[in-house]
Amino acid sequence: MTMAEDQYAVFGNPIAHSKSPDIHGQFASQTGEALQYTKQLVAEDQFAAAAREFFATGGKGLNITVPFKLDAYEFADQLTERATNAGAVNTLKLEADGSIIGDNTDGFGMVSDITDNQGWTVKGKRVLVLGAGGAVRGVLQPLLEQNPELVVVANRTVAKADALAEQFKRYGKIAGCGFDELSGQPFDLVINGTSASLSGDLPPLPDDLLAEGSCCYDMMYGADLTVFLHWAKERGCSNLADGLGMLVGQAAESFFVWRGVRPEITPVILSLRSKLSS
Ligand code: ATR
């Protein structure tokens, strides 16, 4: 008799192009963990019913993607601190007592990509984050826990940047501002968390934002340089990274939350990168 494999899945809408089954499939074969990971298209108003059904029929854990991260936050019986701060859940785990814990591994994934894979330092650095939406809220706690000198959150709607600065100030030095206030103060690390690049747009950034040795990171990724990274490259920046490593990093942290095992990230990033450009 063979033991049934533990069941995991990603819920989203749309879901057809999700890379999570590929990523977790590679993690499972790497580590020898006996698990199956599938993707499931969930109707917009059916998240809670689908999640309940999944866990009632033996499912052990879920990843949650657009547009269900807030539904998952509501669905969880308990939340981790980082999920509470993010205001969103991308990882659900069935606990031994039958309760469901909600976590958020997006920020950990980004910070581990920046520090471990890129080898960039956050500690003691001046960090600028562009945008103040859900994606940015999800990364501020792990970012501030690296002890940067300062995190500035710049946003088109300044009130949203100010609100995030207020929310996260207990984790470190953080300030909100508008894009027009950025001139004259170069940053060591600039992270683009706006959704502007989806439509090929860039926030209005001053030309003196970067200095010698500055690093630029985009939470988005693609086969080609993102608009933001293209902007940075044109200004002489050579430390450029897109969010593919963040995607694999958040998956690795979810895998660790579920299985207690840390998979290797680099070979999976390389595999995904080669499929992006082919
Ligand atoms: P996400 O979950 O991707 O973060 P979101 O919560 O809708 O999505 O946030 C989108 C972010 O991108 C916001 O910071 C938004 O700025 P506003 O808060 O002012 O709306 C930013 N954004 C989107 N399009 C933009 C553009 N064309 N220029 C500058 N910022 C833009």
Side-chain angles (χ1 to χ4, degrees), residues 128-202:
L128 172 65
V129 181
L130 306 171
V136 167
R137 189 174 167 194
V139 304
L140 287 177
Q141 184 200 330
L143 194 59
L144 285 162
E145 284 173 344
Q146 293 292 309
N147 296 312
E149 180 190 312
L150 166 72
V151 171
V152 172
V153 178
N155 197 43
R156 182 173 60 185
T157 313
V158 182
K160 283 169 68 181
D162 288 340
L164 285 184
E166 181 62 28
Q167 187 199 331
F168 285 93
K169 67 183 181 192
R170 69 201 155 101
Y171 291 99
K173 196 167 168 206
I174 179 167
C177 71
F179 295 119
D180 56 349
E181 294 165 72
L182 290 173
S183 198
Q185 41 169 1
F187 287 87
D188 302 303
L189 170 62
V190 183
I191 298 169
N192 181 32
T194 69
S195 55
S197 42
L198 283 176
S199 46
D201 285 335
L202 250 193

Side-chain angles (χ1 to χ4, degrees), residues 109-133:
M110 186 193 77
V111 170
S112 67
D113 187 36
I114 287 174
T115 58
D116 302 348
N117 302 336
Q118 309 306 328
W120 300 346
T121 307
V122 177
K123 186 177 163 60
K125 300 295 186 184
R126 292 170 47 81
V127 179
L128 172 65
V129 181
L130 306 171

